[in-house]
Amino acid sequence: MSETSKETPKKGWFSRWRSKGDAPSETPAPEAAAPELVTETLEPVAEEAKPAVEEVEIRVAVEREAEVEPEAEKKGWLSRLRAGLAKSTKRVTESITGLFTKKKLDQQTLDDLEDALIQADLGVSVAARLVAKLGKERFGKEVTDEEVRAAFADDIAEILQPVAMPLVIDPAKKPHVVLVIGVNGSGKTTTIAKLANLYKREGRKVMLAAGDTFRAAAVEQLKVWGDRAGVPVIAKDTGADAAGLAYEALERAKAEACDVLLIDTAGRLHNKSNLMDELAKIVRVIRKLDASAPHSCLLVLDATTGQNAHAQVETFKTMSPVDALVLTKLDGSAKGGVLVALAEKFKLPVVAIGVGEGIDDLRPFEARAFARGLMGLA
Ligand SMILES: Nc1nc2c(ncn2[C@@H]2O[C@H](COP(=O)(O)OP(=O)(O)O)[C@@H](O)[C@H]2O)c(=O)[nH]1
Ligand SMILES: [Mg+2]
C-alpha cells in the first residue's frame, strides 16, 4: 500500500458494502479445522491434502452460494456482523456480566475483568490498559455490567480506529499488484475471490494468478471462483514455479492494462525456509517488471486460531513486506477479540474481515461497529 495509502479511499469500497445489504448465511467452518503455524515447519496440523474431498467441498460452497435467499439479502451488514461475532460476543459479555454480583467496583472485580478480557483473546496489554482506565474512573463507585461494557467498547474502538482502513487501489498502477499470503486454510483463496468480485463490480479490470501451485485443488478452486466472478485466472499445473507464474501473470495484466492483479500463494511448503524462499522469489521476480510491486501485501489470518495469529504475523513479516491484514472466519469464531490484540501490537491496517464462505461475505472493517458488537451493544 505504501505510497497509495495516502490517497482518498475509493468511494465504491465502503459505500457499495454499506448499501448492498447482505449475503446468504453460510455454515461456519468448524473451529477444529483451524491451521496452526509452527515455528520450524508449516506442515498442516489438522489437514491432509485430499484433492477429491476438497473438490467436492468447492462445489458445495459454490452451490450454496447460488442459493441466495431474498430474506437474508435484506438484513443490514451491521446485524450480519453482529450475528457473525455472536460467539465472540457471548464469551466476553457473559464473563463480564457474571462478575457484577457486587455493586461497587473493587480490586477483585477489576482483576476478574482483566482475566475475562485476556480469556476473550484481547491480549494482556489491552486487558491491562482497559481495566486500569476503568479503575481510575470508577473505582469504589457503583457500576453496572452494561456501563462497563460501554466503557470497554469506547476504549476498544479507540484502539481499532487507526487500523480500520480500506485497501486503496492505486489507479495509476496498471495493475495494482496485491500479493496475498498466509498459512494454509486461513482463507487466502476465498478472500481473493471476494476481493475480485468486489473490484469487478466496481468496474475495475481484474486478473488472478493461481500462485498456490503446491496443490492441484488450490488451482482448481481459484479457477472456479474466477469463473463465478467473471475474472480471468492465470494458472499452471501443480508443481509449477510460483514465481514464474506470478511473472507471467503480471506480464499479461500489464499487456491488458488491468487495474488489479491478485496473486494467490501457497501457505504450506516443506518448511519455513522453503516458504520464505518462495515468497521472496515471487517478490523479486515481479519487481523485474514493476519495481514498486507488490503494491499491497495482504496477510490473511483465520480468527479461529486466536492467539496463534500473533505468531503468524511475526513469521510472515520476516518473509514478506506485509502491509495489511484480513481477518477471516469471524462468523465462526469465539476468538474475534484477537483482532484488538493484533491492532494494538502490530498497528497494521485491517482492510477487511471475512464473515462467511460466500463471495459477498467480506466486509470493511469498522472500528466502532466491531467494538460495540464485540461487547454486545447495539
Ligand atoms: N466461515 C467462514 N469460512 C471461511 C471464510 N473464509 C474462508 N473460509 C473457508 O475456509 C476454508 C479455507 O479457505 P481457503 O480460501 O481455501 O484458504 P487458503 O488455503 O488460505 O487459500 C474454506 O472452506 C473456506 O470456505 C470466512 O470468512 N468464514
Ligand atoms: Mg488457497
Side-chain angles (χ1 to χ4, degrees), residues 252-268:
R252 285 222 4 217
K254 272 168 120 35
E256 295 179 23
C258 288
D259 298 303
V260 191
L261 171 67
L262 294 152
I263 305 176
D264 199 3
T265 60
R268 168 183 50 142

PDB file of all heavy atoms in Angstrom, residues 252-268:
ATOM      1  N   ARG A 252       0.992 -10.361 -18.375  1.00  0.00           N
ATOM      2  CA  ARG A 252      -0.311 -10.322 -19.055  1.00  0.00           C
ATOM      3  C   ARG A 252      -1.191  -9.197 -18.549  1.00  0.00           C
ATOM      4  O   ARG A 252      -1.865  -8.505 -19.319  1.00  0.00           O
ATOM      5  CB  ARG A 252      -1.057 -11.656 -18.869  1.00  0.00           C
ATOM      6  CG  ARG A 252      -0.462 -12.710 -19.734  1.00  0.00           C
ATOM      7  CD  ARG A 252      -1.379 -13.642 -20.470  1.00  0.00           C
ATOM      8  NE  ARG A 252      -2.803 -13.541 -20.478  1.00  0.00           N
ATOM      9  CZ  ARG A 252      -3.599 -14.606 -20.479  1.00  0.00           C
ATOM     10  NH1 ARG A 252      -3.067 -15.818 -20.396  1.00  0.00           N
ATOM     11  NH2 ARG A 252      -4.889 -14.467 -20.558  1.00  0.00           N
ATOM     12  N   ALA A 253      -1.175  -9.032 -17.236  1.00  0.00           N
ATOM     13  CA  ALA A 253      -2.005  -7.972 -16.648  1.00  0.00           C
ATOM     14  C   ALA A 253      -1.564  -6.599 -17.141  1.00  0.00           C
ATOM     15  O   ALA A 253      -2.385  -5.711 -17.369  1.00  0.00           O
ATOM     16  CB  ALA A 253      -1.937  -8.049 -15.120  1.00  0.00           C
ATOM     17  N   LYS A 254      -0.256  -6.440 -17.330  1.00  0.00           N
ATOM     18  CA  LYS A 254       0.270  -5.169 -17.852  1.00  0.00           C
ATOM     19  C   LYS A 254      -0.162  -4.992 -19.307  1.00  0.00           C
ATOM     20  O   LYS A 254      -0.661  -3.933 -19.693  1.00  0.00           O
ATOM     21  CB  LYS A 254       1.807  -5.171 -17.791  1.00  0.00           C
ATOM     22  CG  LYS A 254       2.391  -4.675 -16.471  1.00  0.00           C
ATOM     23  CD  LYS A 254       3.871  -4.998 -16.426  1.00  0.00           C
ATOM     24  CE  LYS A 254       4.800  -3.834 -16.300  1.00  0.00           C
ATOM     25  NZ  LYS A 254       4.509  -2.679 -15.558  1.00  0.00           N
ATOM     26  N   ALA A 255       0.010  -6.066 -20.077  1.00  0.00           N
ATOM     27  CA  ALA A 255      -0.333  -6.019 -21.502  1.00  0.00           C
ATOM     28  C   ALA A 255      -1.806  -5.690 -21.695  1.00  0.00           C
ATOM     29  O   ALA A 255      -2.193  -4.986 -22.626  1.00  0.00           O
ATOM     30  CB  ALA A 255       0.008  -7.340 -22.167  1.00  0.00           C
ATOM     31  N   GLU A 256      -2.638  -6.200 -20.780  1.00  0.00           N
ATOM     32  CA  GLU A 256      -4.082  -5.986 -20.916  1.00  0.00           C
ATOM     33  C   GLU A 256      -4.578  -4.783 -20.114  1.00  0.00           C
ATOM     34  O   GLU A 256      -5.774  -4.586 -19.963  1.00  0.00           O
ATOM     35  CB  GLU A 256      -4.825  -7.268 -20.499  1.00  0.00           C
ATOM     36  CG  GLU A 256      -4.514  -8.419 -21.443  1.00  0.00           C
ATOM     37  CD  GLU A 256      -5.215  -9.717 -21.067  1.00  0.00           C
ATOM     38  OE1 GLU A 256      -6.255  -9.660 -20.380  1.00  0.00           O
ATOM     39  OE2 GLU A 256      -4.697 -10.775 -21.459  1.00  0.00           O
ATOM     40  N   ALA A 257      -3.634  -4.029 -19.575  1.00  0.00           N
ATOM     41  CA  ALA A 257      -3.962  -2.828 -18.786  1.00  0.00           C
ATOM     42  C   ALA A 257      -4.982  -3.108 -17.685  1.00  0.00           C
ATOM     43  O   ALA A 257      -5.968  -2.384 -17.515  1.00  0.00           O
ATOM     44  CB  ALA A 257      -4.442  -1.697 -19.690  1.00  0.00           C
ATOM     45  N   CYS A 258      -4.745  -4.180 -16.927  1.00  0.00           N
ATOM     46  CA  CYS A 258      -5.636  -4.494 -15.808  1.00  0.00           C
ATOM     47  C   CYS A 258      -5.432  -3.479 -14.683  1.00  0.00           C
ATOM     48  O   CYS A 258      -4.363  -2.911 -14.542  1.00  0.00           O
ATOM     49  CB  CYS A 258      -5.324  -5.890 -15.257  1.00  0.00           C
ATOM     50  SG  CYS A 258      -5.858  -7.198 -16.361  1.00  0.00           S
ATOM     51  N   ASP A 259      -6.482  -3.300 -13.902  1.00  0.00           N
ATOM     52  CA  ASP A 259      -6.393  -2.394 -12.755  1.00  0.00           C
ATOM     53  C   ASP A 259      -5.814  -3.096 -11.538  1.00  0.00           C
ATOM     54  O   ASP A 259      -5.105  -2.497 -10.740  1.00  0.00           O
ATOM     55  CB  ASP A 259      -7.790  -1.859 -12.397  1.00  0.00           C
ATOM     56  CG  ASP A 259      -8.390  -1.067 -13.535  1.00  0.00           C
ATOM     57  OD1 ASP A 259      -7.738  -0.092 -13.969  1.00  0.00           O
ATOM     58  OD2 ASP A 259      -9.482  -1.435 -14.011  1.00  0.00           O
ATOM     59  N   VAL A 260      -6.191  -4.362 -11.368  1.00  0.00           N
ATOM     60  CA  VAL A 260      -5.776  -5.105 -10.182  1.00  0.00           C
ATOM     61  C   VAL A 260      -5.315  -6.508 -10.566  1.00  0.00           C
ATOM     62  O   VAL A 260      -5.980  -7.193 -11.331  1.00  0.00           O
ATOM     63  CB  VAL A 260      -6.955  -5.277  -9.175  1.00  0.00           C
ATOM     64  CG1 VAL A 260      -6.452  -5.815  -7.842  1.00  0.00           C
ATOM     65  CG2 VAL A 260      -7.708  -3.980  -8.970  1.00  0.00           C
ATOM     66  N   LEU A 261      -4.173  -6.917 -10.001  1.00  0.00           N
ATOM     67  CA  LEU A 261      -3.740  -8.318 -10.133  1.00  0.00           C
ATOM     68  C   LEU A 261      -3.621  -8.879  -8.719  1.00  0.00           C
ATOM     69  O   LEU A 261      -2.849  -8.353  -7.899  1.00  0.00           O
ATOM     70  CB  LEU A 261      -2.384  -8.417 -10.845  1.00  0.00           C
ATOM     71  CG  LEU A 261      -1.747  -9.820 -10.842  1.00  0.00           C
ATOM     72  CD1 LEU A 261      -2.567 -10.821 -11.676  1.00  0.00           C
ATOM     73  CD2 LEU A 261      -0.305  -9.781 -11.371  1.00  0.00           C
ATOM     74  N   LEU A 262      -4.413  -9.911  -8.435  1.00  0.00           N
ATOM     75  CA  LEU A 262      -4.364 -10.548  -7.112  1.00  0.00           C
ATOM     76  C   LEU A 262      -3.583 -11.853  -7.245  1.00  0.00           C
ATOM     77  O   LEU A 262      -3.948 -12.728  -8.049  1.00  0.00           O
ATOM     78  CB  LEU A 262      -5.788 -10.837  -6.618  1.00  0.00           C
ATOM     79  CG  LEU A 262      -6.653  -9.606  -6.321  1.00  0.00           C
ATOM     80  CD1 LEU A 262      -8.129  -9.926  -6.509  1.00  0.00           C
ATOM     81  CD2 LEU A 262      -6.424  -9.108  -4.896  1.00  0.00           C
ATOM     82  N   ILE A 263      -2.513 -11.978  -6.481  1.00  0.00           N
ATOM     83  CA  ILE A 263      -1.675 -13.179  -6.579  1.00  0.00           C
ATOM     84  C   ILE A 263      -1.874 -14.081  -5.366  1.00  0.00           C
ATOM     85  O   ILE A 263      -1.601 -13.688  -4.223  1.00  0.00           O
ATOM     86  CB  ILE A 263      -0.175 -12.809  -6.706  1.00  0.00           C
ATOM     87  CG1 ILE A 263       0.051 -11.861  -7.893  1.00  0.00           C
ATOM     88  CG2 ILE A 263       0.684 -14.072  -6.837  1.00  0.00           C
ATOM     89  CD1 ILE A 263       1.492 -11.374  -8.045  1.00  0.00           C
ATOM     90  N   ASP A 264      -2.372 -15.285  -5.616  1.00  0.00           N
ATOM     91  CA  ASP A 264      -2.555 -16.283  -4.555  1.00  0.00           C
ATOM     92  C   ASP A 264      -1.205 -16.959  -4.306  1.00  0.00           C
ATOM     93  O   ASP A 264      -0.361 -17.031  -5.207  1.00  0.00           O
ATOM     94  CB  ASP A 264      -3.585 -17.330  -5.035  1.00  0.00           C
ATOM     95  CG  ASP A 264      -4.195 -18.129  -3.887  1.00  0.00           C
ATOM     96  OD1 ASP A 264      -3.867 -17.843  -2.719  1.00  0.00           O
ATOM     97  OD2 ASP A 264      -4.999 -19.035  -4.163  1.00  0.00           O
ATOM     98  N   THR A 265      -1.002 -17.446  -3.095  1.00  0.00           N
ATOM     99  CA  THR A 265       0.259 -18.140  -2.785  1.00  0.00           C
ATOM    100  C   THR A 265      -0.018 -19.387  -1.956  1.00  0.00           C
ATOM    101  O   THR A 265      -1.096 -19.539  -1.387  1.00  0.00           O
ATOM    102  CB  THR A 265       1.208 -17.218  -1.973  1.00  0.00           C
ATOM    103  OG1 THR A 265       0.564 -16.855  -0.753  1.00  0.00           O
ATOM    104  CG2 THR A 265       1.606 -15.974  -2.746  1.00  0.00           C
ATOM    105  N   ALA A 266       0.981 -20.239  -1.879  1.00  0.00           N
ATOM    106  CA  ALA A 266       0.859 -21.447  -1.057  1.00  0.00           C
ATOM    107  C   ALA A 266       1.154 -21.072   0.391  1.00  0.00           C
ATOM    108  O   ALA A 266       2.004 -20.238   0.657  1.00  0.00           O
ATOM    109  CB  ALA A 266       1.858 -22.484  -1.522  1.00  0.00           C
ATOM    110  N   GLY A 267       0.426 -21.664   1.316  1.00  0.00           N
ATOM    111  CA  GLY A 267       0.687 -21.370   2.727  1.00  0.00           C
ATOM    112  C   GLY A 267       1.498 -22.475   3.348  1.00  0.00           C
ATOM    113  O   GLY A 267       1.964 -22.380   4.468  1.00  0.00           O
ATOM    114  N   ARG A 268       1.653 -23.548   2.623  1.00  0.00           N
ATOM    115  CA  ARG A 268       2.332 -24.686   3.221  1.00  0.00           C
ATOM    116  C   ARG A 268       3.338 -25.248   2.233  1.00  0.00           C
ATOM    117  O   ARG A 268       2.997 -25.715   1.174  1.00  0.00           O
ATOM    118  CB  ARG A 268       1.307 -25.771   3.556  1.00  0.00           C
ATOM    119  CG  ARG A 268       1.934 -27.097   3.901  1.00  0.00           C
ATOM    120  CD  ARG A 268       0.870 -28.105   4.135  1.00  0.00           C
ATOM    121  NE  ARG A 268      -0.103 -28.109   3.045  1.00  0.00           N
ATOM    122  CZ  ARG A 268      -0.670 -29.207   2.567  1.00  0.00           C
ATOM    123  NH1 ARG A 268      -0.383 -30.361   3.068  1.00  0.00           N
ATOM    124  NH2 ARG A 268      -1.551 -29.141   1.601  1.00  0.00           N
TER     125      ARG A 268
END
